[in-house]
């Protein structure tokens, strides 16, 4: 069964810093890799989707990369802002399921 | 419209009650999902509907009963729940292997 791990579990940074969140998965036979943001008690907001044939995707200050062979993905956030504070979840896409990581709780300090 | 709408947002029910959670999307997605999320844990898959047919049931207890009346609607019928079933219930939809869209969830408390 696919297992997805995210490191670190929590991260606190001052505003303006660039940061990297890490995601690793055990089964490289994935269809895609998605990154989500979740605010406390809320649903998930889709940030970026990388198809298995792609290496990276960018949206604004966010850049996600995918290395299927090593079972890793990273989410790079540039010039962090207090509004970026949330839990970030990666999910490895199977045929009809998403296998979620344990999440990284990010706090950006003004 | 890239929204998945879930109702109600909050629900408190007794262990003998029957209630339903509703989910709606108008993106033409043919796959719809129910996930359960406990506090500080990742979402866990419960059910998958593909083209209005149940394709995955992740060994969910029968006190949870899903229903897909049409391609835009997904219901989760609840009966005789236990306090440990209290959680955030999330609905999602996707088309093929594209991006999944999630609703804001229903916060369920069983008393």
């Amino acid at each position: 069964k696919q297992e997805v791990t995210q490191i670190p579990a929590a991260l606190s940074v001052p505003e303006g810093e660039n940061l990297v969140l890490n995601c690793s998965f055990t089964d490289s036979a994935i269809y895609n890799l998605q990154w989500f943001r979740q605010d406390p008690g809320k649903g998930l907001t889709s940030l970026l989707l990388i198809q298995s044939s792609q290496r990276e995707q960018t949206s604004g200050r966010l850049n996600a990369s995918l290395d299927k062979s090593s079972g890793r993905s990273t989410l790079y956030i540039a010039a962090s802002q207090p509004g970026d504070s949330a839990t970030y979840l990666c999910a490895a896409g199977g045929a009809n399921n998403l296998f979620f990581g344990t999440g990284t709780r990010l706090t950006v300090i003004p | 419209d890239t929204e998945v709408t879930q109702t109600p947002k909050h629900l408190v029910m007794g262990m003998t009650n029957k209630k339903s959670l509703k989910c709606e999307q108008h993106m033409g997605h043919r796959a719809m999902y129910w996930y359960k999320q406990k506090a500080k844990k990742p979402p866990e898959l419960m059910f998958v509907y593909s083209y209005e047919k149940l394709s995955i049931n992740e060994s969910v207890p029968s006190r949870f009963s899903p229903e897909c009346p049409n391609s835009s609607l997904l219901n989760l019928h609840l009966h005789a729940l236990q306090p440990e079933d209290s959680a955030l219930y999330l609905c999602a939809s996707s088309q093929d292997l594209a991006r999944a869209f999630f609703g804001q969830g229903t916060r369920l408390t069983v008393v």
Side-chain angles (χ1 to χ4, degrees):
Chain A
K1 183 183 174 182
Q2 177 76 271
E3 292 185 7
V4 183
T5 306
Q6 291 185 244
I7 295 173
L11 181 63
S12 184
V13 300
E15 181 177 2
E17 264 200 18
N18 303 326
L19 58 101
V20 175
L21 307 182
N22 296 293
C23 171
S24 61
F25 46 95
T26 54
D27 185 352
S28 62
I30 62 171
Y31 288 88
N32 57 51
L33 193 292
Q34 300 187 49
W35 283 92
F36 295 89
R37 168 193 172 131
Q38 186 173 32
D39 294 294
K42 303 292 187 182
L44 279 65
T45 299
S46 177
L47 298 173
L48 288 165
L49 167 73
I50 312 175
Q51 296 291 359
S52 61
S53 58
Q54 298 174 322
R55 297 283 292 184
E56 66 178 322
Q57 282 289 326
T58 297
S59 176
R61 295 183 293 109
L62 305 180
N63 175 276
S65 66
L66 174 64
D67 184 342
K68 269 185 58 176
S69 60
S70 66
R72 293 181 182 178
S73 177
T74 61
L75 178 66
Y76 174 83
I77 302 177
S80 58
Q81 302 171 357
D84 295 331
S85 298
T87 295
Y88 290 80
L89 294 157
C90 69
N96 41 28
N97 189 10
L98 289 173
F99 297 91
F100 282 90
T102 44
T104 294
R105 189 172 71 253
L106 173 66
T107 303
V108 181
I109 304 166
Chain B
D1 181 4
T2 58
E3 273 195 5
V4 176
T5 303
Q6 289 188 243
T7 56
K9 287 185 170 50
H10 302 275
L11 178 63
V12 179
M13 62 184 290
M15 290 188 282
T16 59
N17 291 159
K18 286 185 182 181
K19 297 286 185 183
S20 296
L21 309 185
K22 297 185 184 301
C23 175
E24 189 169 4
Q25 58 90 12
H26 296 287
M27 295 176 278
H29 291 169
R30 304 316 296 266
M32 296 186 75
Y33 313 79
W34 281 114
Y35 283 84
K36 174 182 178 179
Q37 187 179 27
K38 301 284 277 184
K40 299 190 188 302
K41 298 289 187 183
E44 295 179 350
L45 182 68
M46 300 175 71
F47 303 104
V48 179
Y49 272 83
S50 179
Y51 290 86
E52 301 165 50
K53 291 190 182 339
L54 182 65
S55 61
I56 293 181
N57 176 342
E58 289 287 337
S59 302
V60 178
S62 60
R63 57 186 183 268
F64 295 92
S65 175
E67 178 196 20
C68 190
N70 60 54
S71 60
S72 299
L73 294 174
L74 186 65
N75 298 322
L76 185 63
H77 302 299
L78 314 172
H79 173 53
L81 295 192
Q82 303 296 311
E84 59 264 29
D85 296 322
S86 298
L88 182 67
Y89 287 84
L90 295 164
C91 173
S93 71
S94 70
Q95 184 61 31
D96 298 326
L97 302 174
R99 180 178 293 192
F101 291 85
F102 281 77
Q104 288 299 298
T106 293
R107 172 71 60 190
L108 174 67
T109 303
V110 182
V111 297

